[in-house]
Amino acid sequence: MTGNMHLGVEEPIRECQYNQICTHNSSPMGTPHTKKKKIKRKWQVFQGRNKFYCNGRIMMAKQTGVFYLTMVLILVTSGLFFAFDCPFLASNLTPAIPAIGGVLFIFVMGMLLRASFSDPGVLPRATPEEAADIERQIDTTNGPSGPGYRPPPRTREVLINGQTVKLKYCFTCKIFRPPRASHCSLCDNCVERFDHHCPWVGNCVGRRNYRFFYLFILSLSFLTIFIFAFVITHVILRSNRTGFLSALKDSPASVLEVVVCFFSVWSIVGLSGFHTYLISSNQTTNEDIKGSWSSKRGKGNYNPYSYGNFITNFCAALCGPLPPSLIDRRGFVQPDTPQPAAQTNGTGACPSNQVQSHMAATNPLLHSQTVILGGGTPLQAKTSLGGPCSTLGPSQPSLPSSIPGLSCGGELMALRDSEIHCHHHLHHQHFISPEETPSPPAALPCATHLGHHVHPAQLFDPASQDSLHEDSVRGLVKLSSV
Amino acid sequence: MAETHSLQDLRQAAVASKVFVQRDYSSGTICKFQTKFPAELESRIEKQQFEETVQTLNNLYAEAEKLGGRSYLEGCLACLTAYTIFLCMETHYEKVLKKIAKYIQEQNEKIYAPLGLLLTDPIERGLRVVEIIIFEDRSIGSR
């Protein structure tokens, strides 16, 4: 067994380097769960353009420069206020002023960090099987199209509360977007109830962090007005005693604070007002800008999501249940489960998942061989890497063992390149096949895998084997490629 | 006639195909799955049983997302404590998700596994689909 795998190394090295890495890293013991290979967390293999910190606990957009600017502005202005204006105000007016200011400041920072660091409601991408299933459904409704002809944009219509809503298909995430979801081009994710991408906050604003964003801008408005008002008060009180110019000289920071607050107040208060209007009518910024529910579009065009009165809309937006993150950033990548898109283990036990992975780990290879190859082959590989090779390799048992290595290499290249590994798979099979004999049988499982008119048994065996073992090599390939 | 299998027997089985039950958005953005009976399951399970399972799941998700006194109270309390309260206790939604996971496991053990089927918890698929794995009958117990 091990001999076969090592023999397989020499031949395909010239084809691709991934094969060498895969066989070396898979230990002779066979299991993919050896401690040599680091088990990755899901955030490390996440496909969007997000940045993660603190081992997956914090999630932000790629460009965070403006977020740091926001932090600096708030911290510096508030810092100056507490350092220079508060002592005077506390002693001359009341110590409640710095106390209230402190509470406001902490609340603002808390909401900002919460809005910036949490998952806005990212929808994980579809698994290959799901994507294939949807493609099949679309093909049957649209009719098959020849190669080179781009099919019409995929949409589904659904009736929500008497209003017709179009669901669009996302080509990146391979899903039909739920209503109100949108794909953020900056983060390359579909986000539920997408409001907008906020550079000041360094993240998208969506279903899960909209309330934090709103509370942030609302409390920041109060803080800005508060600081503005009390700095002016401070300067006035001082000028009454010592004259205007010497007051400014005694407390130079106040000038800076007034300037910053004056210019911020217009934009922030304006933004708060705008979002208050959006919440009360239960619209997203996205919908408002597009005018999706505006009466100008036609008579009888109304917002089907609104609860009718602004109080319920408010309560729903701010105090409604907070859904958990669907992407499970800190979960571990299961080597056996299909994972092109970051999947979540949820909050509870997942016995079905475990059974599936256990199943995959123990015995799929031999079965696929029986089903597809029609008999035992010498490739009774105990390693998971034997899996793709045995399913996709040639059916003749007499072939030299370099060939399974080759198919394995091709498989790895396919995995590395795309989530739709089946498409690349076919490509690579054709690429390697001229160099070895049995091209038709090798190509056949893959063609069937692409999903047109085939036995369900044959259709899914290679697919499931591929996807089940995809992840055992994915981590290795990523390590090598990066 | 399909043989009866246990959840352990399914370990031995090969996956024949997967069926995906998509989301039903006719009631808005709440989590709800279509109760339409997929054609591939016709030979395996009764329509009514399947619909009952999906309907129960829909009800559980509706409970998780329900707006009412309890969720408002939780929301206000969380806001007042600057959301630090969720470090100690889990949200109502998370509690219901645990209930759903338990329900799915129970359904798998009692009803679906003996018929050679397996339900996957939708949360593992981002609440997009209910994935039902159909196992081949003939490979059960043969190894």
Side-chain angles (χ1 to χ4, degrees), chain A residues 114 124-125 129-130 133 159-160 175 178-179 212 319 324 343-344 350-353 358-359 367 370 456 460, chain B residues 10-12 15-16 18 20 25-26 29 67 71-72 83 93 97 105 119 123-125 128 135 139 143:
Chain A
R114 196 74 209 229
R125 299 191 184 183
E129 293 116 355
E130 280 179 63
D133 188 63
L159 198 67
I160 300 178
I175 58 172
F212 306 128
C319 305
Q343 289 172 5
T344 168
C350 309
S352 55
N353 202 28
H358 186 56
M359 199 189 69
H367 264 283
T370 329
F460 279 94
Chain B
L10 289 180
R11 217 185 299 154
Q12 306 268 338
V15 174
K18 295 192 183 185
F20 298 100
Y25 293 115
S26 57
T29 52
L67 296 172
S71 70
Y72 289 153
Y83 296 90
Y93 207 112
L97 283 179
Q105 183 188 9
L119 290 177
I123 196 77
E124 290 169 40
R125 300 288 178 266
R128 291 185 305 265
F135 292 98
S139 50
R143 297 219 167 222

Side-chain angles (χ1 to χ4, degrees), chain A residues 456-477:
Chain A
Q458 260 204 322
L459 168 67
F460 279 94
D461 262 332
S464 61
Q465 302 320 316
D466 295 349
S467 50
L468 286 168
H469 296 292
E470 190 181 318
D471 222 54
S472 60
V473 299
R474 173 174 283 277
L476 309 165
V477 170

Side-chain angles (χ1 to χ4, degrees), chain A residues 6-20:
Chain A
H6 282 305
L7 271 178
V9 173
E10 274 83 323
E11 284 277 341
I13 281 183
R14 55 185 152 79
E15 304 291 345
C16 71
Q17 312 213 357
Y18 305 105
N19 193 37
Q20 179 179 13

Side-chain angles (χ1 to χ4, degrees), chain A residues 97-429:
Chain A
I97 294 173
I100 296 174
V103 168
L104 261 180
F105 170 71
I106 289 172
F107 192 75
V108 165
M109 289 306 294
M111 291 297 109
L112 171 64
L113 295 178
R114 196 74 209 229
S116 304
F117 294 165
S118 40
D119 168 16
V122 173
L123 290 168
R125 299 191 184 183
T127 57
E129 293 116 355
E130 280 179 63
D133 188 63
I134 291 186
E135 299 248 346
R136 245 201 345 257
Q137 285 180 24
I138 293 173
D139 280 340
T140 48
T141 42
N142 281 356
S145 51
Y149 166 68
R150 175 143 183 174
R154 303 160 171 184
T155 52
R156 266 187 197 159
E157 294 211 340
V158 73
L159 198 67
I160 300 178
N161 256 346
Q163 190 79 259
T164 311
V165 175
K166 266 209 172 95
L167 300 185
K168 295 207 185 119
Y169 181 76
C170 181
F171 285 93
T172 314
C173 305
K174 308 253 173 320
I175 58 172
F176 272 98
R177 276 185 223 127
R180 312 191 95 178
S182 190
H183 191 93
C184 176
S185 46
L186 291 163
C187 303
D188 205 24
N189 291 319
C190 271
V191 178
E192 272 189 299
R193 201 188 182 280
F194 180 74
D195 195 85
H196 66 285
H197 181 100
C198 185
W200 299 95
V201 152
N203 206 353
C204 286
V205 177
R207 185 178 176 204
R208 293 188 76 246
N209 65 350
Y210 185 60
R211 68 190 70 185
F212 306 128
F213 173 76
Y214 178 72
L215 291 172
F216 164 63
I217 55 175
L218 193 67
S219 52
L220 187 61
S221 321
F222 287 132
L223 182 68
T224 316
I225 294 173
F226 183 86
I227 292 181
F228 187 72
F230 282 106
V231 166
I232 300 272
T233 311
H234 173 211
V235 170
I236 290 175
L237 287 177
R238 256 195 213 264
S239 334
N240 285 350
R241 293 184 198 175
T242 59
F244 185 64
L245 285 173
S246 63
L248 287 182
K249 232 177 4 157
D250 289 333
S251 154
S254 308
V255 181
L256 177 65
E257 291 167 52
V258 166
V259 167
V260 169
C261 287
F262 181 75
F263 288 110
S264 320
V265 100
W266 301 111
S267 45
I268 301 205
V269 171
L271 196 62
S272 308
F274 175 60
H275 277 278
T276 308
Y277 156 71
L278 285 182
I279 289 189
S280 57
S281 58
N282 201 333
Q283 282 186 86
T284 63
T285 306
N286 208 14
E287 286 164 355
D288 187 71
I289 288 178
K290 287 188 200 160
S292 311
W293 314 122
S294 117
S295 48
K296 292 180 203 156
R297 281 218 176 186
K299 266 175 89 158
N301 195 30
Y302 59 91
N303 184 0
Y305 310 110
S306 173
Y307 293 97
N309 64 80
F310 74 92
I311 295 176
T312 318
N313 285 339
F314 244 101
C315 293
L318 299 181
C319 305
L322 189 64
S325 173
L326 295 174
I327 57 177
D328 187 30
R329 316 183 281 280
R330 287 178 45 80
F332 287 102
V333 167
Q334 302 288 333
D336 301 323
T337 49
Q339 207 212 281
Q343 289 172 5
T344 168
N345 276 326
T347 52
C350 309
S352 55
N353 202 28
Q354 287 166 8
V355 170
Q356 184 180 352
S357 41
H358 186 56
M359 199 189 69
T362 52
N363 211 2
L365 318 173
L366 302 174
H367 264 283
S368 61
Q369 288 180 11
T370 329
V371 171
I372 290 178
L373 307 176
T377 71
L379 309 170
Q380 299 275 341
K382 304 286 191 300
T383 69
S384 61
L385 297 162
C389 306
S390 59
T391 50
L392 307 161
S395 44
Q396 286 96 321
S398 55
L399 283 169
S401 39
S402 60
I403 291 168
L406 255 170
S407 319
C408 191
E411 164 88 17
L412 285 174
M413 283 185 78
L415 291 173
R416 188 223 187 266
D417 287 339
S418 146
E419 280 82 50
I420 322 173
H421 68 277
C422 59
H423 290 250
H424 279 230
H425 202 114
L426 181 62
H427 168 74
H428 281 282
Q429 283 286 354

